[in-house]
Amino acid sequence: MMVVTNNPLVRERLPEEMNLLWVDGGYEDVIVAVRNRVHRGHRLLTHPLAGSVKPYETPYRTIFLSDEATDLHHPSLSVLEQAMALLNAFKGKTGGLNSLRTYRDEHLPDLQLVDYGLVETVIQQQPTMHQTLDQLLQEE
């Protein structure tokens, strides 16, 4: 399982055996990095907009992808296109999410924890989850 994130807390707490793709950027940069991987044949394992936290409410996002790249997985691409459309709908007058930003810098540690909380179970159950996801992906 590949973990794509820009969240320092996820990077810090991620077990060493998990495949980390660190994104040095914001929420949208993570979505773009995931889209690029899906174009290469990786599959989404978690939804890019998981949770009810809007893109302008946090700079952090963590998304899980398959480790193995195969053929283009159209359902993953479709979900990402929908996520990108929603992300674009949230952009302010300047064309960026920052103009709608609803948090302060002192909230960043809390926002890291919220994002980590959304993926913590997947990380903790990674050995069995990885086997189950591999089986599901092979059945498709």
Side-chain angles (χ1 to χ4, degrees), residues 91-118:
K91 289 184 176 180
K93 294 177 185 176
T94 63
L97 294 171
N98 287 342
S99 63
L100 298 174
R101 189 171 127 165
T102 60
Y103 58 89
R104 296 185 180 143
D105 288 342
E106 61 264 21
H107 298 148
L108 293 178
D110 293 334
L111 295 170
Q112 290 173 18
L113 188 59
V114 169
D115 178 62
Y116 180 77
L118 290 171

Side-chain angles (χ1 to χ4, degrees), residues 111-131:
L111 295 170
Q112 290 173 18
L113 188 59
V114 169
D115 178 62
Y116 180 77
L118 290 171
V119 298
E120 181 179 25
T121 302
V122 177
I123 291 171
Q124 290 174 351
Q125 296 179 355
Q126 187 269 333
T128 57
M129 176 97 43
H130 191 285
Q131 293 166 354

